[in-house]
Structures are given as structure tokens and as C-alpha cells.
Amino acid sequence: MIFEKEKEIKTTKFLSPLKNFAVESQEIEYRKDLFTGIECRINIQRSKRIKQASSAQENSTEVTAMINKTKGNCFFCPENLEKCTPKFTGFNNEERIMVGESCAFPNLFPFGLYHGIATFSTEHFLDLPRFSNELILNNLKASILFMKKASRQKPNAKYPVWSWNHLPSAAASIIHPHTQILIDEEPTPFQNKLIENSRKYFAQTGQSYWLKLMAEEKKAKERFIGEVGNKDNGVAVLASYAPVGNNEALLIFKNASTFSELNEEQLSSFAACLVKILQGYSESGVNAFNVTTYAGSMDKKDKDYYTLHARIISRPKFQPLYTNDVGFMEKFHYAWIIETKPEDVACKMRPYFK
Ligand SMILES: [Zn+2]
């Protein structure tokens, strides 16, 4: 494979109380993607472990109560949005950006030069199956208008990131569905690494890493999930070889390096892929997730060698008590502990792309 995979399986043994202290062996798969540098350890047995928090009676009534309780004072709900959310300055008097029901405005507590929020709709809560192509498309359009206005106002602000944390167990502080858009003068460290490695790969081989990756994965049929659209306007979806989260999928635009290049058809393909993945997540009991994008420069200077892509991962199920899935290995050691095997994720997700 193109990322020259390094994979090693180690077996660890112990006497298990679950087997009357007979010998239990478990396999841990160590993977490293040499292109992204991501290192992870996969033990699919971990998905079976007892989590004390979630073994407390799962109570959807409590979740519903929490949703209803937060609705009253939600800044993103239509009755509060106008008086409670910030407005843009210097965008030709356009203080907020509206596309359909999606509304984009500045983040009240930004962590980037331009940091916006874009809602999906006026609804305070949407479960995964309720995110339609149209809602996602409108959010993307509002987000891209913000990116373009920001980079017009400050031409050096040209590295955009479109991200989506859904529900508190995926780090969302507000239940009302929304995305976050950052536009900065420098790419994030990982975005920079991807752009630089793509540039180097192109210089060495005369080929795009991303086109080669899509072709190889499609041929190998191990992690390829499906695609929407054609070679000009399409998006391909695969399970990442070395993921940073459970049920991770990579969504790769077939013909774009950044958001400023995207036309309506490309945005529709991307939205359709997300809808299919969310359907798959929902049917396997997932209700919380993160999405982010890795884009090249808005001035399209990375077009020859770089490809816009996104990553989506599932997060612990949002319920009154849940166990966070990011601990010391991820926070301090940059190693991702995973309980879903990418090849199994691809098998599970393929039917939604048929
Ligand atoms: Zn709300």
C-alpha cells in the first residue's frame, strides 16, 4: 500500500476472572501510517468491556429531559439567536450569514483569527437520521461564504477548517446542532503536515498521493466503503488504515484541494456521504460524533498535489453518565487506542453506499 504500512500483532496473556482464572489471550494490533504519522493500537476486545458509567441504567428519559432543559436558554434557538450571538464586522454590513435555516456568526470565545459558528436549522435537537442532505448542504454553503469573506477581508487568512462536534460526549458545549469554522493564516500543525507530505510525495513521484490512495484502496477492497458522484464532482469514502477514533471514515473529494474550489455538485456529494455514514452510525447505536476537514490554501496554490478531505469518528454514546474515550495515551502519548478494526468498519458501512 501507498502508506507502506507497518503492522504488528502482539499477543498478551493473563488469567481472567471472567473465565474462572483460565488463561486469556488478547491480540493488540499496532499500526502506523507512514504518510500521516498516525500511530494507533487496536484491540477489538475492548468494545466488550464493562464500562461502569454506562452500565448505570441507560435512561433516554433523562437525555430527553436534558435536551428540553437546555432548550429554554439556548443561544442558537431562533428566539435568542439575534440578541445572544455576536455579529460579523467589516463584511459589507452583513452581520450574520443565512442560507436556508443555517445561520453563521462569530464565535463568542474564538480560538482562531476567524472563528465562526454555523447552525444547521432552527431545531434545538436533531438525532442523526434527521440530518438531511439539504440541512448539511445549507450549513456548508453558509460556512464557505464565511471562509470567502474572511479571506477577502484578510488575504493571508487562507487555511480553513470546517468541524462538527455533535453532542456533549463529542465535546459540544451546546446541544443545538452546529459546526465551527476556522480560517487562519497558518494551517494547523496536522493540516500542515498533510500538505507538506503531499507536496513531497508529488515532487518525488509526479503523482498525487490522494488519487493514488483512492485507486489503491478501491482495488484492494479491504477498506473502501463507497462513493457518490463521478471523477469530477465525486467524493470517495474509506475506512482509515490507522484511525484516530472508532468507526473512522475518510471522505476524499476527487477533484478539489480546498473549499473555494467546490461547486454545488461536489458539496451535494459530500453531504450525501455524511448522511449515509450518519445513518450507519445511528443504526449501530452511535449518537455522538466528530467531523473535521483538512483543506489546502484558499488561493488554490496546493491544487496540483493536495486533496481536500474529511475525517469522521464516533464518540461515546451521549447519556447521563458516559466514559470519555480520550485518555492518557491520546492526550500525552499521541497514540490512539481503537476498538473497531478499520476493515470491519468498511464492511459495516458498505451497505449504506449500495
Ligand atoms: Zn437551541
Side-chain angles (χ1 to χ4, degrees):
M1 274 292 172
I2 192 166
F3 35 75
E4 298 165 48
K5 65 183 168 192
E6 277 181 358
K7 180 154 89 177
E8 201 181 343
I9 295 172
K10 296 181 187 180
T11 305
T12 181
K13 287 185 181 159
F14 54 91
L15 304 178
S16 171
L18 303 177
K19 286 182 168 177
N20 209 11
F21 295 99
V23 176
E24 157 88 356
S25 334
Q26 288 190 13
E27 285 187 347
I28 302 148
E29 194 171 315
Y30 295 65
R31 291 193 186 192
K32 181 174 182 177
D33 181 323
L34 294 181
F35 185 83
T36 60
I38 292 169
E39 293 186 49
C40 69
R41 299 179 185 189
I42 304 168
N43 178 351
I44 55 169
Q45 299 296 324
R46 286 180 63 79
S47 64
K48 296 174 193 150
R49 74 194 190 281
I50 298 162
K51 293 173 189 148
Q52 288 181 327
S54 62
S55 69
Q57 197 80 49
E58 186 188 320
N59 194 337
S60 62
T61 329
E62 282 186 54
V63 170
T64 311
M66 189 182 294
I67 291 163
N68 291 335
K69 198 177 141 211
T70 54
K71 192 172 164 29
N73 53 7
C74 173
F75 298 157
F76 299 173
C77 271
E79 56 273 25
N80 297 327
L81 191 138
E82 283 209 9
K83 60 176 191 289
C84 295
T85 62
K87 298 173 182 179
F88 295 118
T89 175
F91 286 176
N92 289 332
N93 294 325
E94 193 169 14
E95 295 173 330
R96 294 192 185 91
I97 299 167
M98 296 290 302
V99 179
E101 282 186 34
S102 174
C103 180
F105 47 84
N107 190 324
L108 192 54
F109 299 103
F111 51 77
L113 181 60
Y114 289 92
H115 187 173
I117 300 286
T119 60
F120 284 89
S121 82
T122 53
E123 293 256 11
H124 181 62
F125 173 71
L126 293 170
D127 207 357
L128 272 56
R130 294 189 59 209
F131 286 101
S132 63
N133 287 28
E134 191 193 359
L135 288 186
I136 296 175
L137 191 60
N138 287 343
N139 179 290
L140 284 164
K141 285 181 181 172
S143 302
I144 293 170
L145 279 171
F146 170 50
M147 291 173 192
K148 287 181 175 171
K149 283 172 193 291
S151 54
R152 210 172 293 142
Q153 187 175 67
K154 202 161 192 147
N156 278 342
K158 55 192 181 189
Y159 290 98
V161 176
W162 180 84
S163 298
W164 181 0
N165 296 336
H166 188 62
L167 296 185
S169 57
S173 57
I174 291 181
I175 300 240
H176 196 122
H178 62 282
T179 55
Q180 300 191 48
I181 309 102
L182 290 158
I183 306 111
D184 241 303
E185 292 174 324
E186 300 293 335
T188 65
F190 191 65
Q191 193 179 10
N192 188 46
K193 183 177 193 174
L194 293 168
I195 296 170
E196 280 308 308
N197 288 359
S198 303
R199 182 183 293 140
K200 281 183 206 152
Y201 187 89
F202 186 76
Q204 284 161 8
T205 65
Q207 283 182 301
S208 152
Y209 169 81
W210 300 96
L211 296 182
K212 186 112 197 291
L213 175 71
M214 280 188 276
E216 282 193 10
E217 289 286 30
K218 194 170 179 180
K219 209 166 127 196
K221 295 191 176 90
E222 281 182 291
R223 287 171 295 272
F224 190 80
I225 295 173
E227 54 199 325
V228 172
N230 61 32
K231 71 175 175 45
D232 294 318
N233 62 30
V235 172
V237 181
L238 21 131
S240 310
Y241 167 70
V244 299
N246 292 315
N247 299 301
E248 179 174 309
L250 269 182
L251 296 86
I252 309 174
F253 283 86
K254 293 185 179 178
N255 187 25
S257 69
T258 191
F259 286 99
S260 52
E261 290 176 38
L262 297 177
N263 58 33
E264 175 100 14
E265 285 177 323
Q266 288 170 300
L267 289 171
S268 296
S269 301
F270 182 64
C273 288
L274 283 174
V275 167
K276 290 175 196 295
I277 293 166
L278 294 188
Q279 195 188 344
Y281 275 6
S282 178
E283 285 176 22
S284 61
V286 169
N287 70 359
F289 61 88
N290 300 114
V291 183
T292 200
T293 60
Y294 303 98
S297 173
M298 289 285 275
D299 60 14
K300 305 171 195 176
K301 73 180 171 66
D302 307 308
K303 185 159 179 60
D304 288 344
Y305 46 82
Y306 193 67
T307 297
L308 172 62
H309 61 285
R311 239 170 237 271
I312 179 167
I313 58 175
S314 69
R315 296 303 302 274
K317 184 165 185 167
F318 179 54
Q319 52 197 2
L321 280 169
Y322 56 84
T323 307
N324 198 306
D325 61 356
V326 175
F328 68 92
M329 286 297 273
E330 293 85 1
K331 280 278 190 187
F332 300 132
H333 295 276
Y334 305 101
W336 305 90
I337 306 303
I338 305 294
E339 54 192 43
T340 55
K341 202 173 171 171
E343 293 71 22
D344 298 338
V345 172
C347 265
K348 211 167 71 181
M349 299 298 285
R350 260 179 221 127
Y352 299 95
F353 281 79
K354 285 269 182 289

